Amino acid sequence: MANEILRSIPKLDLLLGRAAMLNMKERFHPAIVKLCAQQYLDELRQAVLAGRIGSIPAVAEIETEIINRLESEDYFHLKHLINATGVVLHTNLGRAPFGEEMARHVAKVAQGYSNLEYDLAEGRRGSRYSHVEKLICELTGAESAMVVNNNAGAVFLMLNTLAKGKKVAISRGELVEIGGSFRVPEIMRESGAELCEIGTTNKTHAKDYIRAMDELGAEVLLKVHTSNFKMYGFTQEVLPKELSQIARERDGILLHDLGSGFMFAPEALGLREGHAVWSSIREGADVVCFSADKLLGAAQGGIIIGKKKYIEKIKQNQLTRMLRIDKLSLAALEITLQYCHDTSLAAEKIPVISMLTMTEDKCREKAEKLMHLIESRIDGCITRLMPVQDEPGGGSLPGLMLDGYAVAVKLPGISPERAEHMLHCRSVPVIARISKDSLVFSVRTIFENEYEEIAEALEELIRTVRGKRK
Ligand SMILES: *Cc1c(COP(=O)(O)O)cnc(C)c1O
């Protein structure tokens, strides 16, 4: 059955030889026309195989679709989309979004050459860390800092440099899986560190760490933030302050994978949870690492801060070359760190911070605006304001829910599942959630300059429904 349908997909060469396509080749490079056509035919094939469609559109319809895609530059696989899920650091949706000025700065560095590894004052080779090291140290109070391509790399590098061949004590409550394929015990093994599990899942005491060092031969203490879950009830963990003292008294070192953190006290942002990256350094941790594109809100990267002697050693590790951060992420990091010198500046310019600190009232106001736009543009759908619980996401602040608002849209004549799928298939996809019979657009993660696009998307849906009825 599927084979028969597949056979009715037009041949690429025949399609490209038709008048409409030849016409397009005058406006777009033939290679792009071909690529775009091929992509669409592949999608049709996939849709048939997955059972999503039972017949192939007519050739004229196929042509129209390809022309539309060319005209709207919709032939990229990786593309911009609208996140209406209310999950701020959505791991599947690219995590931290850039603000306008951040994006402009990164584009400027990307276009042409830069002084990435050139010391302009001295006229000789420079270090790629030089652009951000001083900023990070100022903001965190750390002696020294460096950055790599992501925090997973930072953890690995930190362990490989400072704990290889050594016993590393870690609480059983912190032997976590962070997502994807990042599991702390495996990362430790790969890095050459020897795992020394202590305590229990729910409770680990200072005496467990002391025993690990005094009796089991542990030389390193590792603390890991349980990024994507939180334990309640009969639990106990030992904080960096006490751990650093235990380590210091025994000539050991304390490493802390913080996962994520702010450059501010969370209270300064009006948040009930979370921590500043410097708190662990102040409490005596020797080396701390965290992600650049979680709560910091920059591009993918891993930041390592701590005592100079350890950071220097990390910089000299051969693996550093393999894990190095690229210039675009570095440019994004520098501008983000500059914004972090002031909480209100950060909240204005760094989207992640703006979204996390967006008040319920502000969300309501934003939702009303979107709702009015939808109502004024489209008749035939039923909208309503809906209180929602948004999430920080990205394994950053487990357990913290953010009170927000969404616009719930009911489209008569079309199931929310089908509407959701159609929203995904646009040139600018919109990722919304479904609640009962409605599509839900949570405004916390929607930029206001995306409202028009959402209204347009809903107009398209309504048009499709009406078209089918005729
Ligand atoms: C997210 C996280 C990592 C991995 O960081 P990436 O930047 O995604 O590579 C490592 N450890 C902890 C505790 C995390 O939360």
Side-chain angles (χ1 to χ4, degrees):
M1 181 62 186
N3 275 342
E4 238 165 75
I5 306 171
L6 286 178
R7 266 196 295 277
S8 63
I9 295 177
K11 293 273 171 299
L12 181 64
D13 288 342
L14 292 180
L15 186 64
L16 292 173
R18 287 170 58 93
M21 290 293 109
L22 291 173
N23 245 337
M24 293 316 279
K25 285 186 192 168
E26 283 170 18
R27 290 172 51 199
F28 299 90
H29 193 283
I32 300 296
V33 177
K34 182 174 173 187
L35 189 102
C36 191
Q38 201 162 19
Q39 251 178 25
Y40 182 48
L41 297 185
D42 279 346
E43 280 173 35
L44 287 176
R45 212 165 283 127
Q46 297 297 333
V48 172
L49 291 173
R52 279 197 303 274
I53 56 172
S55 68
I56 301 297
V59 180
E61 268 178 71
I62 292 179
E63 280 175 344
T64 309
E65 175 66 21
I66 295 169
I67 291 168
N68 284 342
R69 288 181 180 205
L70 282 164
E71 284 175 343
S72 57
E73 291 186 18
D74 180 17
Y75 40 77
F76 295 101
H77 201 275
L78 176 62
K79 53 187 169 184
H80 162 77
L81 57 71
I82 296 173
N83 174 10
T85 65
V87 180
V88 178
L89 294 162
H90 200 304
T91 309
N92 302 145
L93 305 182
R95 235 143 71 175
F98 288 3
E100 247 171 69
E101 281 150 89
M102 287 166 69
R104 220 179 302 136
H105 175 63
V106 173
K108 210 151 122 191
V109 171
Q111 212 159 42
Y113 299 96
S114 65
N115 62 333
L116 180 65
E117 288 190 352
Y118 191 69
D119 185 327
L120 291 167
E122 299 288 333
R124 58 176 156 85
R125 195 196 155 98
S127 149
R128 74 173 58 212
Y129 309 123
S130 66
H131 310 292
V132 292
E133 179 163 5
K134 195 162 155 276
L135 280 168
I136 298 171
C137 291
E138 272 170 18
L139 287 164
T140 61
E143 280 177 19
S144 210
M146 73 168 296
V147 283
V148 291
N149 65 344
N150 58 30
N151 189 43
V155 176
F156 187 81
L157 191 58
M158 174 172 85
L159 289 169
N160 182 263
T161 313
L162 304 170
K164 191 175 175 182
K166 294 184 180 166
K167 269 197 178 161
V168 179
I170 178 169
S171 160
R172 289 193 169 89
E174 295 171 13
L175 284 171
V176 295
E177 173 173 312
I178 278 133
S181 52
F182 190 92
R183 305 177 109 186
V184 173
E186 263 129 85
I187 292 290
M188 288 180 71
R189 196 171 318 119
E190 293 289 331
S191 74
E194 197 185 324
L195 175 65
C196 176
E197 295 178 33
I198 60 167
T200 61
T201 306
N202 57 329
K203 279 202 171 204
T204 303
H205 305 273
K207 63 172 193 261
D208 295 318
Y209 289 95
I210 292 171
R211 201 171 75 86
M213 294 197 89
D214 290 349
E215 296 170 30
L216 306 175
E219 294 173 75
V220 178
L221 304 184
L222 174 65
K223 187 156 182 67
V224 177
H225 183 244
T226 59
S227 51
N228 41 18
F229 73 98
K230 209 174 169 101
M231 287 196 295
Y232 296 94
F234 192 61
T235 65
Q236 166 145 351
E237 64 166 334
V238 188
L239 298 174
K241 195 167 174 177
E242 202 170 347
L243 288 180
S244 64
Q245 195 184 342
I246 294 170
R248 209 173 327 114
E249 285 167 0
R250 291 163 180 80
D251 284 330
I253 51 178
L254 171 62
L255 309 179
H256 192 177
D257 172 12
L258 198 54
S260 183
F262 296 111
M263 290 291 177
F264 323 98
E267 303 81 59
L269 295 170
L271 291 170
R272 279 182 280 114
E273 301 223 10
H275 31 242
V277 292
W278 34 256
S279 62
S280 181
I281 287 287
R282 284 196 192 163
E283 289 172 12
D286 293 288
V287 182
V288 177
C289 66
F290 53 95
S291 187
D293 61 335
K294 288 187 186 168
L295 297 177
L296 187 56
Q300 188 185 303
I303 300 177
I304 311 176
I305 57 178
K307 304 240 163 79
K308 194 172 169 70
K309 61 176 173 181
Y310 298 126
I311 301 293
E312 285 307 314
K313 224 171 148 191
I314 291 173
K315 282 182 185 165
Q316 276 150 28
N317 188 330
Q318 284 290 316
L319 287 172
T320 300
R321 170 65 195 239
M322 283 169 240
L323 299 171
R324 71 186 190 178
I325 186 167
D326 92 300
K327 61 184 175 186
L328 304 186
S329 303
L330 206 45
L333 182 59
E334 185 184 5
I335 191 168
T336 307
L337 291 168
Q338 288 184 359
Y339 292 147
C340 286
H341 281 84
D342 182 86
T343 42
S344 53
L345 182 65
E348 182 192 332
K349 304 286 191 189
I350 308 170
V352 169
I353 306 292
S354 324
M355 289 172 183
L356 289 173
T357 56
M358 199 176 286
T359 61
E360 194 179 352
D361 284 346
K362 175 71 190 168
C363 289
R364 193 187 168 103
E365 191 187 304
K366 273 185 80 177
E368 277 168 357
K369 213 161 152 184
L370 177 61
M371 191 170 77
H372 292 148
L373 178 72
I374 294 171
E375 282 168 352
S376 71
R377 286 271 294 273
I378 311 160
D379 51 29
C381 63
I382 302 149
T383 56
R384 113 188 122 80
L385 226 51
M386 182 176 154
V388 286
Q389 296 265 288
D390 294 323
E391 289 171 52
S396 54
L397 300 168
L400 181 67
M401 290 304 220
L402 305 163
D403 291 324
Y405 271 88
V407 180
V409 181
K410 200 150 64 169
L411 297 150
I414 182 165
S415 74
E417 287 78 16
R418 181 156 150 66
E420 182 192 38
H421 179 69
M422 286 174 66
L423 289 179
H424 290 184
C425 295
R426 308 179 69 244
S427 64
V428 180
V430 183
I431 313 294
R433 281 193 292 207
I434 296 175
S435 172
K436 295 195 191 103
D437 50 1
S438 299
L439 280 174
V440 176
F441 301 85
S442 180
V443 292
R444 184 183 301 274
T445 50
I446 306 175
F447 294 89
E448 286 199 26
N449 60 13
E450 294 172 331
Y451 281 9
E452 271 297 321
E453 189 70 44
I454 293 177
E456 221 164 90
L458 291 172
E459 270 177 336
E460 282 166 22
L461 283 177
I462 293 282
R463 237 181 286 134
T464 313
V465 178
R466 300 222 166 111
K468 288 267 148 67
R469 282 225 195 100
K470 268 182 221 149

